[in-house]
Every structure is written in structure tokens, then in C-alpha cells.
Amino acid sequence: MYLSKFNGMWEMNKKNAIKMHKKFFLFLTSFLLIGFNLVYAEGFNYPYLEIDSFSTKEFKGSNQTWGITQNSDGRMYFANQGGILIYDGKTWKTVFAEKDAPARSISFSPDGRLLIGTMGDVGKLISNIEGKPYYVSLLSEEQNNKISDSQVVYEVIPLSEQEILLRTKNSLYIHSDNELKTIKNPQKYKFGVAKYIDNEIYVYCIGHGICRVNGESLKIIEGTQSFNNSGLGINYFEKISAEEMLLVTRREGIFILNNGDLRKIDISNNLLNSTNIYRGIRLRNGNLALATYDGIFILDNSINPIIHIDRNSGLLADNVRSLFEDGDGNLWAGLNNGISKIKISSPIKSYPQKFAGINSKTRDMAIFNDTVFIATDIGIKKLTINYDILREQFDNVIPDDLKTQVWGLVPLDGSLFIASNFGLGKFIDGKYINE
């Protein structure tokens, strides 16, 4: 429809053509503005995700959020430095642990208890007769004496309806209603991230490798002994088959362990290769999300980076401390300064003016030579890709020759025809020619 109308105008004199062209594009302006924000088609490779962010002023907590989980009713719960945050989609509430201790870990048990790890304690939330939630410790006085107040409970991992694994830096505990059992650690290992996989407990023994809990003792998994310095510290791991394990280090890359043999995965992304990786989670679609000091990276099943989210694409802060995928497929990020909700499963993606370099009203859009061009009130721009940050941005084209309001763009016969305040012109071989 558009091309036939434009071709019809092309035979007219330049003055009348410009007048009709302007009227035609004014008619399409509202559609293009809406459609441009929704389009995700050929020529668009890294659109921006919709992100909702919450500052400390909104949720009235502290900066850092260390853990996130969700109840079956949809409410979100956050282990925050200032307490336990509850969000029902509209309002925020804060519940304080004993002695106003920071909440450092959070998880739901199979029987529906909300478990919270704090300083020297683990507790749960229950509600009073008025329905107001409050914190109660799960530890008896005798059990509480086993964990000093200076020990941070970094992880609470349900093992069954009754048993919970508690990880501090110096000790591993298994808690049940009647006892708090300490896993023997004669080597005096320090402990990093832990996982419960196929009914077995695994934990990164800092500077020594990944250990499997064998009864009440620890046994290092063959092939992981080389992870013995801070850069090679393992901050995420998982089994990907009966024989293979995926290992994500803090600063030295990602590895596959196969029956004791270690192989580093080649990742061609300079930013991911140089950042600090803090945590990771496996998403339900099979992708891997990594929390880093430079935002969030999402990798596909082949460990190729496909999405990067940071402050320059709408994230509230770059330093990411925790990740959680909710029941609707949204990715929640606990940040070093706030909380963000990234709608990674939404079919609607955009190129917002603020982040995509548009910085003006958009009048038209065209794909020319496999590149997206837009007409704006300050000239034309084209979409360029930065593969290190996995992001596209609109850059100025011929700014010296065409710094004016551009009404329309039409690719035709190897040229990009341009209708602007200067008249009808064309862009060909990187140059602007005024007709």
C-alpha cells in the first residue's frame, strides 16, 4: 500500500510530492510510534526487555537483597539486609527477624513453611490471629547455642518436609524438629555455595573443590581440586547429566566436568569473560541466568550469551546479588541497591527512547540493506549492534547533511529515499544526495 502510493507521487513535481508525503506520514505517525515499540521482527536482534524497578524508598528496606522466593498464592518474599520483605503486587510489608538481624537466605519448604536464614539463626514466618506475619526461630535454646550470632546463615536448603540444610561459612548443619546435626569437617573447610542434587548434598569447599556429603563427612569430587583460588572460586554449579557437571567460577570462566576431566568453555564475550559472576539459576526454558557485577547475562543451552541486562537497558543497578524466576516467567533480581523485575517471557519488547539512543520523536522506520533505519525530528538513525554488551542502539546517519525533521523512508531500487524538510533525497553508498 505504501510503496504504490509513494511511487504514484514520485512522478509529481518535488514541491507537491513533499506536501503529500508529509500528510501521508502524519497519518501514519501514531501507528508507527506504537508499532515501533512493539515490533520484534527481521532486522531486530537485541530488543530491550520491560523492567519494573523498586527502590529502597518504595519497599522501605535496606540496599542489598540476598534471596528471593514466591508463595503458591503469588506473593513474593525477599531476604533483605533490613529484614524480610513481602510484596503482593501492590504493597510492600517488612517483617523483622529476631534482634532486627538481616535476612540472608530464604526458601519455601515442601510443606509450605517460609524459611529464613539470618545471623546465627533460622526461622519461619507465621501469622497472628489478625493475619499479621511475624518471625519465629526454628531453633531451640540448646540448638541456638551451636550457631554463634556472628555466623551468617547464607543458605537454607530444604531436604525434605522435616529436614533443612543450613550453610554458614564455617559449618554445615542439618536441622529437624528435634535436633541440629553438624556435618563433620575435620579439614576445617570454609564453605561456598551448596546444592541438593538427586538426594545428595554438594558444597563448594573454598580453595579445595566441590565436596559431596558422604554420610556425615565430606569427600572432594575428582577433577575439582584445581578450583583453589579466589578467581577460580565456584559460585554456581549443577549436574547436566549423570556424568557431567557445569561449573561457573567467579572470574575465570565456565567449565564442564566429565568423569574427572575438566574442560573450559570458550565464550566469545569480553564483558562476560572479565566480570565477576556472583550467582546463577537455571530458567524453566533451559537458559542459564547469571548474576554479575555488570548486570545479568542470560546464556542458552550451548552456553552462548544471548541477553545482557544492566543499568543502560533499564536495570536499577549493575551489581546483582540474587535471582529468581516467578510463576509467570518473570526474572526478579535482588540488587546491591534495590530490586528489579524483568519480564523476560513477555512477547512485548521495545527500543525505548531513553536507552536505545532515539532521543526524539520517531516518524518512520524502514529496513534497508538488512539494517533498520528510523526517521526522527533530528535526522535519520540506524540500528547498530555491540556484541560485547549484546545490545542495539540507534546512531546518527549523515548528521552533517541531514540534521532536520525527516518524515519518511522508502527503500527502493538500491537506494533509501528520504522525505524531509529539505525535500526528497536518497541515501546510497553511505552518502546523502538531495534530489
Side-chain angles (χ1 to χ4, degrees), residues 27-87:
F27 173 76
L28 287 181
T29 293
S30 60
F31 169 78
L32 288 168
L33 288 173
I34 296 170
F36 184 71
N37 281 327
L38 300 182
V39 70
Y40 180 38
E42 183 179 356
F44 297 92
N45 299 283
Y46 297 105
Y48 292 67
L49 302 171
E50 185 179 354
I51 300 175
D52 296 334
S53 291
F54 307 92
S55 68
T56 55
K57 290 183 179 179
E58 291 177 84
F59 56 73
K60 295 179 174 62
S62 294
N63 289 340
Q64 293 99 343
T65 296
W66 304 104
I68 309 170
T69 191
Q70 184 180 35
N71 201 354
S72 57
D73 62 7
R75 282 182 292 183
M76 302 296 301
Y77 296 82
F78 305 83
N80 181 263
Q81 190 72 13
I84 303 106
L85 306 178
I86 306 172
Y87 181 60

Side-chain angles (χ1 to χ4, degrees), residues 282-408:
R282 181 67 68 173
L283 304 177
R284 287 194 294 274
N285 65 3
N287 291 338
L288 178 66
L290 299 178
T292 81
Y293 285 12
D294 289 286
I296 300 166
F297 284 88
I298 297 179
L299 286 60
D300 64 17
N301 262 324
S302 300
I303 316 299
N304 296 310
I306 56 174
I307 298 173
H308 176 229
I309 309 156
D310 65 3
R311 288 188 65 176
N312 293 320
S313 57
L315 202 63
L316 199 58
D318 285 341
N319 192 331
V320 185
R321 294 295 182 176
S322 55
L323 295 171
F324 179 82
E325 184 181 14
D326 70 18
D328 294 324
N330 301 305
L331 181 62
W332 290 81
L335 311 171
N336 206 46
N337 187 22
I339 296 168
S340 288
K341 173 186 176 183
I342 305 116
K343 300 178 181 179
I344 57 173
S345 297
S346 172
I348 299 175
K349 298 174 176 64
S350 68
Y351 289 83
Q353 284 191 10
K354 180 178 179 180
F355 300 114
I358 299 172
N359 302 323
S360 181
K361 193 171 184 179
T362 306
R363 297 289 179 177
D364 195 11
M365 176 186 69
I367 296 178
F368 175 64
N369 289 342
D370 298 321
T371 302
V372 178
F373 289 79
I374 58 172
T376 78
D377 285 349
I378 55 174
I380 64 173
K381 299 187 175 190
K382 68 176 180 179
L383 197 60
T384 60
I385 301 176
N386 184 326
Y387 286 100
D388 267 345
I389 60 174
L390 304 177
R391 188 168 304 129
E392 292 169 305
Q393 188 162 349
F394 285 94
D395 294 329
N396 289 319
V397 179
I398 49 176
D400 297 333
D401 297 327
L402 198 65
K403 194 171 185 178
T404 187
Q405 191 173 48
V406 179
W407 297 95

Side-chain angles (χ1 to χ4, degrees), residues 138-158:
L138 291 176
L139 303 182
S140 66
E141 184 175 349
E142 179 182 352
Q143 293 170 353
N144 193 266
N145 290 333
K146 290 185 177 182
I147 307 177
S148 71
D149 289 343
S150 63
Q151 289 193 71
V152 178
V153 180
Y154 290 107
E155 288 184 288
V156 286
I157 301 175

Side-chain angles (χ1 to χ4, degrees), residues 22 36 62 84 112-113 156 169 189 199 205 219 234 286 355 358 370 391 410 421 430:
K22 283 186 177 181
F36 184 71
S62 294
I84 303 106
R113 292 178 298 164
V156 286
K169 188 172 183 178
Y189 292 144
N199 298 317
C205 296
K219 183 178 180 181
I234 297 171
F355 300 114
I358 299 172
D370 298 321
R391 188 168 304 129
V410 178
N421 284 344

